[in-house]
Amino acid sequence: MDPSSSSADGAKSSLNISFKEWRDKVSGKLDPLKTKLEKTTFQVIGISEEIETRQSDCKELATKLYWVTERILKKVPAAGDTDKDGSVKDTINALTKITSQITVFVKKRPATSAELMSDKRAETITKFLKDLDELRQQFVEVHTLEVSVQVEQMRSEMAGLFATQIPSNLPLLEVPRKPTVFYGRDDLVKSIVQLLLREETCRIPLLGAGGMGKTSVAAAAINDRYVKEKFSEGIIFLSCEGVVSADGIINALAAFLGIHAKSHARRALLAYLSSHGDILLVLDNLESALESVDTENVEQLLGALAELPRLSLIITMRGTIPPTSVEWEDACLRPLDRISTEASRQIWDHVAKKHDDKLDQLLARLDGLPLAIYLMACLGKLLAPAKLLDAYDREATKIVKLRGGGRLKSLEVSIELSIQSATMQEEPHALPLLSLISLLPDGINVVALPSLISSMSTVVTTSASVLLQVALAFDDRDRLKVLSPIRDYVLIKYPPQGLALEEVRATFMKFALCAYLLGTDQTEKAVKLLSAQFGNITSVLVHFWKSEPNENELSELLEATGQAAEFAQVTAYGDSILLLREAKTRLMKLEHWKDAADCTQKMAEIQRMREYFPEATELLNGAKSLYQRSQNGAGMARCTWTLGEMLRMQDRYPEAATMFREAKTAFEEVNARLGAAQCTMSLGEVLRRQSQYDQATQHLHDAMAVFEEMNNELGQAQCLWSLGSVLRMQDNIESSVQTFERAKTIYDRIGHRLGSAQCLQRLGETLLKENQDEAYKMLNAAKTIFEEFQNRLGAAQCLSGMADARRQQRNLEDATRLNAEAEAKFQDIGNCKGVAECTWTRGVILRIQNQYEESRAILEQAMAAYLDINDRPGVANCQESIGYALHDQGRNTEAVLILRQALGTFESVGDEAGVTRCAQFMSGVVREELEGPTGISAAAEALAALSLRDRQP
């Protein structure tokens, strides 16, 4: 819901009506003061278009200006001479002056988004609001402590004209409009409407954290068409914000209802509500009164209201526990939860309408908190999600507000109200605990709190209970958690400190060091612990780096950071980029060049695995420079090897091989045998991809011997995977499967999920010819893991294999869809081989659909793509498929010619299975011709084709 928009529209409409009434009452020529008031009112109304269409941050200012102008119109009599009334003259002159100033301000539009968001602009708007408040206080309002007195004075001034209506300057009793931006709560609203429409009355509590949308839910329910028909004029909505007693609630309601009881106001109010048909009373923001010194009387009043036979009651309040004096509907006792990702997107689409690839990440940061999402979407009208995400990372909750402040316009104010509540103030340890828990985005088990923070062990349970009561924290499967926008605000305004912070840091650094257990018999235990706590580990370590640790703290913190990053890389549980970036920033300031280079190199490796090659290259060049600065030869060689891996992943094999040889030499110069062995293995992988299987096998066995000698299981698993791939290409299926299974066993033992996924992928591809359903399941499982790692290449390859499985099953619709998805991913990451494979699959599908000409054209396109990257196995497959398509068209001579070329290409790459397929098919063609109507002459042409010696593609 956009409260500022609805308030501005309502105030403007009311001003127009009052101005028309004032003009209708004027008789004769206007005196100079009334003429000035008329011109000023026209000017006020004229400002609205500029504000509403271009400067939404001024809507509160417009609302207040409309309101003050209307009050002045009502105080200036339409008849009679006003020139001699000094107070009226001062009022009109002051209004004219501030209206002119505001007009100049809004007509000078901000040139940039930075100017729109500037503090200077905000200060100017705030000053105008303050000036209007002073004008209101000095000339317009009559101040009393009792709301009912104010009502009576207004009634006297208006000579009884509106004796049965509440004045418009008591907005606390305005029924809110149906929210215009409202998503994710439809089922809840429907259930409330059903309760309200039943024969018996109901008592509904809307509970939850600030900004969760409690008021909007209430507004949506009471504006339902059938609810309005049932209760008609009996809907009463009272905002209790600022009302701090039972008498305050009673007086406000009595004033609204026109009850003139000088004594026994409570009795008179209850009697009135009992005798006036169906009543729906909504008490909004009731925590203001419930947390006051008058709590007991407020509870008693609620109990009395709940006993009225024809009154239904809705309350909204921060917290998770409703008042105990009322028997509430069981279905509504659960506090409002976060809205879904889909609902968050709907709010964004309704308000901002701007999208980019960072939108989901931005919405995730807002953690399903409706107020935060709405406020951010307002900014999204001006700035793209990527820019807002960057600003949010820098400014947190400061950016999530609208100009002017107020409960519904600033997330900070909403959170602060909960923090400053009486319940929080009564437990002094609750806020320090909130600060600590705000460091833990994944939350913490309440039972574990005393051992985690031993210095607070005697008060931590009570403090946690308080946080739950005021809804600053919530229970998520027995874990105490804090919503993301609240965490961001608390960490800035109330940062954790002292002994308790040191205890939390020590615990989570120890958790990070459990990564050392990977590859041991404790792997499963370590993965379970680290995956459950990884978000917390990262958050605590990032906070530690930002606090600028000293030299004494650096060693342990650096070790924990390295292990957390290593765990994330090999298991895909979490993202360590932010952690490594913060560590590098601090290490650079301390001139720890080698450590800073290590962090940079780790970030580059992560980006490489995600196929973000430009980003990875930039990071590697930076790391290499830092290693050179610290004279670290092994580090420089590692960067060169990683650059080679990126080239290999892009099918740039000759360039990759050059890099690997350079890195291998550099490793050998510093006696780094492990690094040299990795280069040997990478050279073997390049040779495999170039179909030089004998040389590839020799390189892989050489590397394997070093890995076994050094007991490096990761290197062993990687070599086995490559050897399995060689065997597969040589059609040695049984040995290939056994080798992949050996590799997967090692990967599983050391907790290397990406390696396990790669083995699963290869096993699925190997099964494609024998068991397509099982192959599809394996490839889909591998794809899921690749996606967790953000490994786009692996995910695309799995999609391609899944498409092949469906093609072989003749499920061509699914095959076409999956193949198109794979091709799009390959194109996105610039993988030429993958694109060529998908093009080949398209051609084969068209052949199955008897679209032979189209099939041949696509297959020739795929063959050209394979030739461009010197992929001879791919060329052979295309030649073979083109031959089959020609045969299907009855063009056997041409078919035999192209199949003969395919046979020669298969021979050149050592693919005996391909050679056998082509030879058998050509023999079949000859038999067909001998048995066909054209007889011996056609067979002779086919045999002549077979005798051709040219075996080159």
Side-chain angles (χ1 to χ4, degrees), residues 624-643:
K624 204 167 184 178
S625 176
L626 288 169
Y627 281 130
Q628 190 171 15
R629 192 169 186 173
S630 61
Q631 299 182 340
N632 188 287
M636 294 171 63
R638 182 75 180 173
C639 291
T640 303
W641 174 83
T642 306
L643 287 167

Side-chain angles (χ1 to χ4, degrees), residues 437-456:
I437 298 175
S438 294
L439 269 179
L440 309 177
D442 292 338
I444 190 72
N445 193 300
V446 178
V447 177
L449 278 173
S451 58
L452 174 66
I453 317 169
S454 58
S455 61
M456 295 178 64

Side-chain angles (χ1 to χ4, degrees), residues 290-518:
L290 278 169
E291 294 189 344
S292 69
V293 295
D294 200 33
T295 300
E296 185 176 348
N297 289 324
V298 174
E299 288 258 16
Q300 290 176 359
L301 174 61
L302 288 173
L305 289 169
E307 291 175 359
L308 298 179
R310 300 188 66 180
L311 182 140
S312 289
L313 177 66
I314 298 176
I315 67 166
T316 78
M317 61 174 286
R318 296 163 189 269
T320 58
I321 302 175
T324 56
S325 56
V326 177
E327 187 174 341
W328 303 101
E329 299 291 340
D330 289 340
C332 299
L333 286 174
R334 182 179 176 84
L336 269 64
D337 201 352
R338 296 164 288 179
I339 60 174
S340 66
T341 302
E342 179 60 29
S344 301
R345 287 198 197 97
Q346 288 175 315
I347 293 175
W348 185 272
D349 289 340
H350 187 113
V351 178
K353 300 179 175 65
K354 290 185 179 180
H355 287 244
D356 63 24
D357 59 359
K358 294 293 184 181
L359 176 58
D360 285 348
Q361 193 174 343
L362 175 64
L363 294 177
R365 291 296 304 275
L366 301 177
D367 215 3
L369 191 62
L371 176 60
I373 296 162
Y374 169 74
L375 296 176
M376 188 67 81
C378 290
L379 296 175
K381 295 178 182 179
L382 304 170
L383 299 172
K387 291 186 177 180
L388 288 172
L389 180 62
D390 180 62
Y392 188 88
D393 286 339
R394 286 184 283 105
E395 302 177 43
T397 52
K398 289 184 180 179
I399 194 174
V400 192
K401 64 180 179 182
L402 296 180
R403 298 298 183 193
R407 182 189 291 263
L408 292 179
K409 295 186 180 179
S410 171
L411 189 61
E412 293 184 359
V413 173
S414 185
I415 297 168
E416 195 63 39
L417 284 169
S418 294
I419 290 175
Q420 299 301 331
S421 65
T423 305
M424 282 287 287
Q425 298 305 309
E426 289 170 3
E427 177 47 68
H429 298 98
L431 183 54
L433 179 61
L434 177 63
S435 300
L436 291 167
I437 298 175
S438 294
L439 269 179
L440 309 177
D442 292 338
I444 190 72
N445 193 300
V446 178
V447 177
L449 278 173
S451 58
L452 174 66
I453 317 169
S454 58
S455 61
M456 295 178 64
S457 59
T458 59
V459 296
V460 72
T461 303
T462 304
S463 299
S465 175
V466 167
L467 295 178
L468 289 169
Q469 287 179 48
V470 299
L472 284 168
F474 64 99
D475 188 312
D476 183 13
R477 290 167 292 184
D478 296 326
R479 292 172 77 91
L480 191 66
K481 299 179 77 172
V482 179
L483 289 172
S484 178
I486 298 176
R487 287 201 319 270
D488 293 331
Y489 174 77
V490 170
L491 288 174
I492 292 171
K493 187 71 180 292
Y494 304 101
Q497 55 190 337
L499 178 59
L501 174 59
E502 292 177 12
E503 291 171 337
V504 170
R505 284 174 174 172
T507 296
F508 285 97
M509 284 197 291
K510 286 179 182 176
F511 285 165
L513 296 178
C514 289
Y516 281 123
L517 296 174
L518 298 178

Side-chain angles (χ1 to χ4, degrees), residues 211-265:
M212 197 58 81
K214 301 179 292 294
T215 301
S216 292
V217 169
I222 65 178
N223 279 284
D224 177 83
R225 177 163 62 95
Y226 298 106
V227 171
K228 291 170 81 171
E229 285 178 3
K230 175 181 177 179
F231 293 97
S232 187
E233 298 299 318
I235 299 177
I236 306 170
F237 184 97
L238 173 63
S239 172
C240 297
E241 185 176 0
V243 178
V244 293
S245 67
D247 284 344
I249 296 173
I250 292 167
N251 290 337
L253 292 172
F256 175 75
L257 297 170
I259 299 170
H260 303 282
K262 294 184 179 179
S263 61
H264 305 297

Side-chain angles (χ1 to χ4, degrees), residues 757 761 764-765 768 775-784 786-787 791-807 811 813-827 829 834 837-838 841 845:
Q761 175 194 350
E765 291 169 347
L768 276 172
Y776 188 94
K777 290 177 183 176
M778 285 186 172
L779 289 165
N780 198 26
K783 171 178 162 287
T784 300
F786 284 130
E787 287 172 341
N791 188 306
R792 298 179 295 167
L793 178 59
Q797 289 170 336
C798 288
L799 278 170
S800 179
M802 291 159 66
D804 201 20
R806 291 295 184 247
R807 175 183 64 80
N811 184 343
E813 183 178 348
D814 274 4
T816 301
R817 174 182 57 80
L818 291 164
N819 189 63
E821 288 181 33
E823 187 169 6
K825 288 182 180 293
F826 283 128
Q827 287 174 338
I829 61 181
E837 287 174 350
C838 291
T841 301
I845 290 172

